[in-house]
Amino acid sequence: MEPLNLVQKQRLEVISELRKDNIEPHGRKFNRTHNTESAKSEFISAEAQLAEKEHFEFGPIKLSGRIVSKREQGKTAFAHLEDMSGKIQLYLRKDQMDEVGFSLVKRLYAGDIIGTEGKLFRTKTGEITLRVINFEFLSKSINPMPEKWHGLTDVEMRYRQRYVDLLSNPEVRKVFITRSKIVQTIRDFMNSREFLEVETPMMHPIAGGAAARPFITHHNTLDMKLYLRIAPELYLKRLLVGGFEKVYEINRNFRNEGISIKHNPEFTMMEVYQAYGDLSDMIELTESLICHAAKQFHDDLKVPYQGNTLDFTRPWKKISMIDSVRESCNVPELSFKSTPEEAAQIASKLSVHVDKKDSTAAIVVKIFEEKVEATLQNPTFIIDYPKEISPLAKAKADDPTLVDRFEIFIAGRETGNAFSELNDSEEQLARFLDQVSQKEKGDDEAHEMDEDYVNALRYGMPPAGGLGIGIDRLVMVLTDSASIRDVILFPTLRRREISATTDSEESGEKR
């Protein structure tokens, strides 16, 4: 804890003086009658009914909030009080308050939270203002507010002290209000389609449902290792086995990987499963859901993002992974049937680093991630992924080396992931065994064996479509935010002494 500075010491002295005068600087419940915007709205409505408006007053009313500015002019003081809804001017005059009340004005600072009572009127400049009869301290501020005109601009400090960021930058509060509305819109949409919202465990005995490094913890009473979930997928599909047909969950996932403008170790996902459906149902659901959310803020589905305009008009483009690489990189000779040596040569020409142990599929994926992803600005479905990297997806009927899977890319980032779910228990067992083999060869992100999930499939799981959408990344686009940290209230940060930043291969999405 750093030592107190001069301003903090002075403010603590004022608090001590108030208590000596039997004035509590940290008050109790305050029964306000209005917020600032409802008060102004009612004033305007009442004023409109009058022929003579010059000396009209409305009230008394009670408002509470934080003082964000104050200036004194002899026997008069002006201040601005801010609450969640907005801001209003306060007019404090000695001859309209009792002597004790006005004497407290000098001990009122920007940052203090107060409750006020008075009447609304218009100043000569037309500003709706509260003529204060009396006020009380609800919470005296010890730390000064950021400098008035510039607010909190230090990016590092904004994330570390989000509470000050929210106080100082109204546009930041607006982002998180919008985020809440987006999530509510998504819930309303899913409920309207008769999906049931459920909750599944956050701590798993087996790290499964995605290819990612987990956070590991230990349960003392049970004396067992547990993993913070990297995805809820396998539990949600157990619900399909149990007879539920349409389920979804919006909640946190945790991946013990890099931090960047696209990645946070804990992030919010929505996962959806629909029995008797397939990939085509998930494509329709994804388009409908995201367009429904976007339309709440951009009626024409033209979404401004970081200086560009993204077109969400349906239908969205669909292209296979291999064709997207061929087109973007001008390598028509590349295919998943190329040998690893041939694929590696092409990667080398494109300045994409690969390892000797990489298969052709792994090399194509690396080329796609480095050379194609960033070019996918308008919503685009990338389809036909190799089975090798999709251990939970159903193989394509006409090519068993590929799976019925898509990833949705918006503004150059993976925002969703879906596929027709693999429901053959013995094929799933074989896929798990292959993943175990890959882990033994050094792939620490390979999927672990989940015998109980295989056992569940042996009871029979209906054919199904599954979808995961990264809520944070969708909110980034719909709020024109450049970094995932701008849409997570309290993002994970490095220790102060570590300033270097690195990107991550972790996608932050479903699998």
Side-chain angles (χ1 to χ4, degrees):
M1 183 73 71
E2 295 182 1
L4 296 176
N5 60 37
L6 180 61
V7 171
Q8 291 171 317
K9 290 177 180 178
Q10 289 173 339
R11 292 194 173 195
L12 281 171
E13 288 177 6
V14 169
I15 289 174
S16 179
E17 291 169 1
L18 288 171
R19 288 193 168 124
K20 287 178 182 178
D21 294 337
N22 293 318
I23 297 170
E24 177 52 52
H26 299 287
R28 298 182 184 277
K29 177 180 177 179
F30 184 83
N31 292 314
R32 65 181 178 182
T33 60
H34 299 73
N35 61 38
T36 57
E37 289 307 301
S38 68
K40 287 189 280 189
S41 178
E42 288 192 25
F43 175 89
I44 292 169
S45 296
E47 183 186 50
Q49 307 300 316
L50 302 174
E52 174 55 49
K53 300 180 175 62
E54 186 174 352
H55 300 293
F56 173 64
E57 290 189 340
F58 178 80
I61 66 169
K62 291 183 176 183
L63 300 177
S64 58
R66 187 181 297 272
I67 297 298
V68 293
S69 67
K70 191 195 81 168
R71 69 183 190 278
E72 294 184 43
Q73 298 175 349
K75 297 180 180 180
T76 302
F78 289 90
H80 278 93
L81 179 141
E82 186 175 77
D83 63 14
M84 188 71 173
S85 69
K87 187 162 59 175
I88 195 168
Q89 181 170 255
L90 304 181
Y91 176 68
L92 304 101
R93 186 174 173 85
K94 186 175 182 179
D95 62 6
Q96 294 175 4
M97 302 176 66
D98 62 44
E99 188 172 339
V100 174
F102 190 76
S103 70
L104 296 178
V105 172
K106 290 191 178 298
R107 292 188 273 189
L108 179 64
Y109 300 130
D112 290 350
I113 299 172
I114 66 171
T116 66
E117 183 176 5
K119 294 184 177 182
L120 293 176
F121 73 103
R122 279 192 190 273
T123 63
K124 292 180 179 179
T125 60
E127 184 172 358
I128 299 174
T129 300
L130 182 70
R131 189 191 311 274
V132 177
I133 301 169
N134 56 65
F135 75 91
E136 61 183 275
F137 291 110
L138 301 179
S139 185
K140 281 290 290 177
S141 170
I142 297 171
N143 292 335
M145 294 279 284
E147 198 273 323
K148 177 180 176 183
W149 300 112
H150 299 99
L152 185 63
T153 56
D154 183 280
V155 173
E156 175 80 3
M157 190 63 69
R158 285 182 53 220
Y159 298 143
R160 290 194 184 280
Q161 297 185 10
R162 179 69 85 187
Y163 41 91
V164 186
D165 188 24
L166 294 168
L167 280 177
S168 308
N169 300 317
E171 68 277 6
V172 174
R173 287 203 302 271
K174 183 178 179 181
V175 165
F176 289 103
I177 292 170
T178 300
R179 177 187 173 114
S180 180
K181 291 178 180 177
I182 291 169
V183 173
Q184 187 58 54
T185 294
I186 290 171
R187 279 197 165 94
D188 291 343
F189 179 90
M190 297 303 296
N191 294 341
S192 73
R193 291 206 171 190
E194 298 183 341
F195 282 86
L196 180 69
E197 185 172 11
V198 298
E199 293 181 333
T200 60
M202 289 286 195
M203 295 191 295
H204 294 181
I206 296 172
R213 290 186 292 274
F215 288 94
I216 304 172
T217 186
H218 184 268
H219 192 289
N220 292 334
T221 302
L222 298 178
D223 190 23
M224 64 183 291
K225 183 188 295 184
L226 291 170
Y227 303 88
L228 294 184
R229 76 173 181 196
I230 54 179
E233 174 170 347
L234 300 187
Y235 282 94
L236 290 169
K237 289 197 287 193
R238 284 174 169 92
L239 297 182
L240 299 188
V241 172
F244 288 99
E245 295 184 356
K246 299 173 77 173
V247 295
Y248 76 99
E249 180 172 9
I250 300 176
N251 223 319
R252 289 300 179 98
N253 289 353
F254 306 85
R255 299 185 182 178
N256 195 356
E257 298 173 340
I259 295 175
S260 74
I261 62 170
K262 298 188 295 182
H263 306 101
N264 194 65
E266 57 176 314
F267 57 95
T268 302
M269 286 285 297
M270 179 178 75
E271 289 215 14
V272 181
Y273 292 89
Q274 179 177 334
Y276 310 109
D278 65 2
L279 192 69
S280 63
D281 295 290
M282 297 301 102
I283 287 176
E284 189 282 327
L285 179 65
T286 303
E287 282 190 348
S288 297
L289 171 62
I290 294 179
C291 284
H292 177 73
K295 205 170 180 64
Q296 310 306 308
F297 309 97
H298 307 284
D299 192 58
D300 61 356
L301 293 178
K302 303 297 191 294
V303 179
Y305 186 70
Q306 300 298 294
N308 298 316
T309 299
L310 308 179
D311 188 355
F312 280 51
T313 305
R314 301 175 67 183
W316 296 346
K317 180 179 179 180
K318 301 178 188 66
I319 184 171
S320 70
M321 173 179 278
I322 193 67
D323 284 343
S324 70
V325 172
R326 288 168 175 164
E327 290 183 12
S328 293
C329 302
N330 192 26
V331 286
E333 70 276 19
L334 181 64
S335 79
F336 284 121
K337 295 181 181 178
S338 301
T339 66
E341 292 75 22
E342 292 169 339
Q345 287 181 352
I346 293 172
S348 179
K349 291 178 182 178
L350 296 172
S351 301
V352 175
H353 174 75
V354 298
D355 297 324
K356 289 183 178 180
K357 64 180 176 60
D358 283 343
S359 65
T360 298
I363 293 170
V364 172
V365 170
K366 285 184 176 180
I367 295 172
F368 172 81
E369 290 175 345
E370 291 191 28
K371 300 297 182 180
V372 182
E373 276 192 16
T375 70
L376 305 173
Q377 294 298 305
N378 290 330
T380 303
F381 291 107
I382 299 297
I383 60 176
D384 295 349
Y385 278 68
K387 182 172 72 172
E388 177 184 317
I389 63 167
S390 309
L392 300 168
K394 187 182 285 289
K396 291 179 66 68
D398 57 353
D399 186 348
T401 67
L402 303 177
V403 293
D404 280 325
R405 173 184 177 183
F406 75 68
E407 288 185 337
I408 179 67
F409 289 85
I410 304 174
R413 287 185 288 265
E414 179 198 347
T415 304
N417 189 3
F419 35 80
S420 298
E421 302 296 335
L422 178 61
N423 61 340
D424 180 335
S425 60
E426 305 318 295
E427 171 64 15
Q428 183 65 78
L429 176 60
R431 300 266 195 102
F432 278 155
L433 290 171
D434 179 64
Q435 290 286 300
V436 169
S437 175
Q438 292 184 39
K439 184 176 283 289
E440 290 172 349
K441 293 176 182 178
D443 184 354
D444 59 359
E445 292 188 358
H447 204 293
E448 293 188 22
M449 170 64 71
D450 190 334
E451 294 179 0
D452 181 74
Y453 178 65
V454 173
N455 187 59
L457 291 184
R458 285 174 173 165
Y459 282 94
M461 185 182 86
L467 165 68
I469 291 179
I471 299 297
D472 307 303
R473 291 185 180 181
L474 179 59
V475 172
M476 284 174 65
V477 171
L478 296 183
T479 60
D480 195 10
S481 299
S483 170
I484 196 170
R485 299 183 188 98
D486 293 328
V487 300
I488 295 176
L489 278 168
F490 300 101
T492 305
L493 300 170
R494 291 175 175 82
R495 289 190 296 272
R496 287 179 183 272
E497 64 268 27
I498 300 175
S499 59
T501 57
T502 58
D503 207 332
S504 164
E505 294 302 316
E506 179 256 325
S507 70
E509 306 305 339
K510 182 171 180 259
R511 287 166 250 255

